[in-house]
Amino acid sequence: MSVLTEKIKKKIKDHALSDPKNEVCGLIMANQSVILYKNIAADREPHFIISHLEINKAQKKDKLIAVYHSHIQNKEDKDDKLSNEDEVIAEYFNVRFVLYSVNDDKFFEYVPTGKRVDYLNRPYVFKILDEVTLIKDYYEWELNVKLENLKNRENLELFLKENGFVESGELQKGDVILIHLNNDPLKPKLLLYTENDKVIIHKEYELSKVTEYNYGLKKWTKKIYRHQKL
């Protein structure tokens, strides 16, 4: 059953038309209220981000039943619909996604099916589905180790240390490798070592994938970390 009453549709549509050249976003709560939020994405034309602090605040007052956003006016894509990225996030957090297309003047809904979002071939979503989330999921699903402190995404070494990782020497399955992309200390990245010189990497705005731990990655490696439980 759709969560979209005529009252909810009007609120979302009015929000979208108030800024038709940028994506708008918000939440639909169980009491039928619609909470409008500022889109904090750096590029609001093709993306939207709602502050996790605002989401947590809303959930303390009522149950969240859906996240909504708009697609902007004059979009080139004639077949406007929820993106694969939208559907993956809906599945990962088990929450409905609602889209209002300004171009088509139509609403679209995606209801999560309960399928698991694997850590391979998942899209990159800033501070939601990234290398930190990938490592968390891998450790929980494959190694039965829960990593619960995820707040230090801006300081990857601190994230590791606060979750029980210590510096190590030789590589073994499950180790985390800190590299500086292109030897740039301002571009730290975490790789997850599997075995046989293979790593899982999740670069910005690319699908997560298994790749060779090749000469270039080895040259950029700064530290190797191993969880205390391994």
Side-chain angles (χ1 to χ4, degrees), residues 205-225:
Y205 309 110
E206 295 184 13
L207 296 178
S208 56
K209 64 181 181 180
V210 175
T211 189
E212 293 284 342
Y213 185 42
N214 56 32
Y215 173 79
L217 294 177
K218 290 176 181 177
K219 186 177 179 180
W220 298 337
T221 293
K222 301 305 172 184
K223 293 180 182 179
I224 297 169
Y225 283 91

Side-chain angles (χ1 to χ4, degrees), residues 1-185:
M1 181 181 295
S2 173
V3 300
L4 294 174
T5 64
E6 291 305 313
K7 182 179 179 181
I8 289 175
K9 285 182 178 180
K10 185 177 186 309
K11 287 185 177 180
I12 295 174
K13 182 175 178 179
D14 287 348
H15 189 195
L17 295 179
S18 71
D19 190 7
K21 293 185 178 180
N22 291 295
E23 291 196 4
V24 304
C25 52
L27 306 178
I28 303 171
M29 310 304 289
N31 63 6
Q32 299 294 293
S33 65
V34 177
I35 306 177
L36 285 58
Y37 284 111
K38 179 181 179 181
N39 182 354
I40 63 172
D43 188 350
R44 295 182 295 126
E45 183 177 326
H47 301 293
F48 80 96
I49 298 174
I50 302 173
S51 165
H52 69 279
L53 297 176
E54 295 290 354
I55 294 176
N56 291 341
K57 183 178 177 181
Q59 287 181 307
K60 290 178 181 178
K61 297 179 179 179
D62 195 18
K63 182 180 179 181
L64 170 64
I65 58 173
V67 175
Y68 77 84
H69 70 288
S70 64
H71 277 179
I72 65 172
Q73 197 172 41
N74 299 323
K75 235 176 150 291
E76 292 181 1
D77 186 2
K78 295 180 180 179
D79 185 22
D80 207 2
K81 59 183 180 180
L82 283 158
S83 67
N84 176 64
E85 181 179 290
D86 293 331
E87 294 179 4
V88 169
I89 299 173
E91 291 289 354
Y92 191 84
F93 292 102
N94 192 33
V95 63
R96 291 181 186 230
F97 256 51
V98 171
L99 165 69
Y100 173 69
S101 168
V102 174
N103 257 4
D104 299 332
D105 188 24
K106 288 183 180 179
F107 284 88
F108 302 87
E109 277 186 82
Y110 182 82
V111 181
T113 63
K115 65 184 179 183
R116 192 178 86 171
V117 178
D118 201 359
Y119 40 78
L120 294 178
N121 297 312
R122 64 168 58 167
Y124 181 92
V125 184
F126 182 66
K127 290 189 177 182
I128 298 176
L129 293 176
D130 56 12
E131 61 204 310
V132 168
T133 313
L134 186 149
I135 291 168
K136 167 193 169 292
D137 291 341
Y138 179 91
Y139 265 76
E140 184 173 341
W141 298 342
E142 301 294 334
L143 305 174
N144 198 30
V145 175
K146 286 195 174 184
L147 310 180
E148 298 180 329
N149 192 344
L150 308 181
K151 64 182 179 180
N152 283 307
R153 283 177 154 86
E154 289 79 15
N155 188 329
L156 296 177
E157 285 196 81
L158 187 57
F159 153 71
L160 293 171
K161 291 174 181 178
E162 289 183 346
N163 281 282
F165 288 85
V166 294
E167 288 189 49
S168 180
E170 293 184 3
L171 281 166
Q172 71 176 37
K173 185 176 181 178
D175 285 350
V176 176
I177 304 167
L178 173 68
I179 68 168
H180 290 166
L181 282 174
N182 301 314
N183 262 344
D184 185 346

